[in-house]
Amino acid sequence: MTESTRLAVAFLILVGAGSAAAEDLSLEVSHRARALHPGEVVILEVRVSERGAAPRATAFGKSIRMFPAEDGSLWRGLVGIDLTVEPGKVPVAVQATAADGAEVRKTYELAVLPKQFPTRRLRVAPRYVDPPPDVLARILREAEDVAAIFEVSSAERLWSGGFRTPVPGPPTSSFGRRSVFNGQPRNPHSGTDFRSGAGTPVRAPNAGRVMLTGNQYFSGNVVVLDHGWGLYSYFAHLSTIDVAEGDLVARGEVVGAVGATGRVTGAHLHWTVRLNEARVDPLALLELFPDATPLD
Ligand SMILES: [Zn+2]
């Protein structure tokens, strides 16, 4: 957008809000994303005409934390479109307070398009399709433990800059696939699998705090990282765990190794990303925030 178009847009917003003074605070909202589909990450960008007027935003009933991207006039925040969001217009409420105390509000719309995820059919040990009754309580508890972690949007943003791929192995296009295990439908695949041999080090895609380590029935050995501001990484099927709950890890630090624990057909890395509880494709993060650090 040229500067003159930008000014024209700002003027229209002012007229629309019924304001008279040309120097009033104005908001210009845009977004960047691979696509507006279920499972995508959206970078919301808000340009404010008053430097330092921090905008606030809400989408899907969650507050979207914004951070300054330039000199205090451009702000960014992340919106996650959950795997199961129905296509349609999603309103994003944006507001900011001017230096004189005036509130400016704007509604931006994300037009979410439908996406059909393919089905994958897998064969696993029968105990992972029809678990024996004595492990049902364990499965429920493990699901609740993880859900309770994802519910919290930590106040401190630990992630910054680019996200690096956790293993050198290539990703598979497995995100969102409907999963049929031994002929029986199960939950859609809420992460992306990477082909990597057992023992390959798994590195933190960005800085974070270790929230959970341990062995789970379906996911095998897991590590959950809190990157802050509602963004989490969850690694499953590890052979070893190299961090402890409470540890702070830097981008690139080894958290464990690729394995074949839990409900798997073979060794691989499973990486789930949660953003304000939305299940989003980790590959979207990698594409929107590329990291130039070479893999080793
Ligand atoms: Zn997986």
Side-chain angles (χ1 to χ4, degrees), residues 39-262:
E40 291 296 325
V41 174
V42 178
I43 304 179
L44 188 70
E45 296 193 325
V46 180
R47 199 170 278 282
V48 292
S49 59
E50 259 180 37
R51 202 179 292 175
R56 280 125 30 226
T58 310
F60 296 111
K62 308 266 186 184
S63 140
I64 308 302
R65 297 174 197 248
M66 308 290 294
F67 56 95
E70 282 171 6
D71 56 356
S73 61
L74 177 66
W75 296 72
R76 292 200 175 112
L78 302 185
V79 180
I81 306 176
D82 186 76
L83 198 49
T84 54
V85 163
E86 294 292 328
K89 289 188 172 136
V90 174
V92 182
V94 183
Q95 65 182 100
T97 311
D100 65 5
E103 283 289 320
V104 179
R105 287 189 173 78
K106 196 173 183 193
T107 301
Y108 186 71
E109 280 183 338
L110 296 173
V112 176
L113 300 167
K115 175 157 186 175
Q116 278 294 342
F117 294 101
T119 298
R120 62 175 192 167
R121 294 172 190 281
L122 303 168
R123 286 239 146 240
V124 293
R127 69 179 184 278
Y128 291 119
V129 182
D130 293 303
D134 59 337
V135 297
L136 294 179
R138 174 189 171 190
I139 289 169
L140 193 63
R141 192 181 64 242
E142 289 169 353
E144 286 170 354
D145 287 350
V146 173
I149 291 173
F150 294 151
E151 262 173 32
V152 178
S153 177
S154 304
E156 193 186 354
R157 177 165 70 107
L158 298 173
W159 66 270
S160 64
F163 284 77
R164 62 167 288 170
T165 178
V167 287
T172 63
S173 60
S174 54
F175 178 83
R177 289 194 174 213
R178 295 153 200 257
S179 301
V180 178
F181 287 99
N182 303 1
Q184 295 189 39
R186 290 294 181 266
N187 286 336
H189 191 238
S190 60
T192 291
D193 293 335
F194 290 74
R195 290 196 191 95
S196 261
T200 306
V202 176
R203 295 174 185 278
N206 210 311
R209 186 178 299 281
V210 179
M211 297 302 290
L212 182 83
T213 63
N215 183 269
Q216 298 194 330
Y217 188 77
F218 287 122
S219 301
N221 293 328
V222 300
V223 169
V224 180
L225 296 181
D226 179 1
H227 301 295
W229 284 19
L231 188 69
Y232 291 89
S233 282
Y234 172 104
F235 298 108
H237 313 311
L238 304 175
S239 55
T240 58
I241 293 171
D242 296 317
V243 286
E245 287 173 16
D247 285 357
L248 266 178
V249 295
R251 174 182 26 237
E253 213 172 312
V254 175
V255 300
V258 172
T261 53

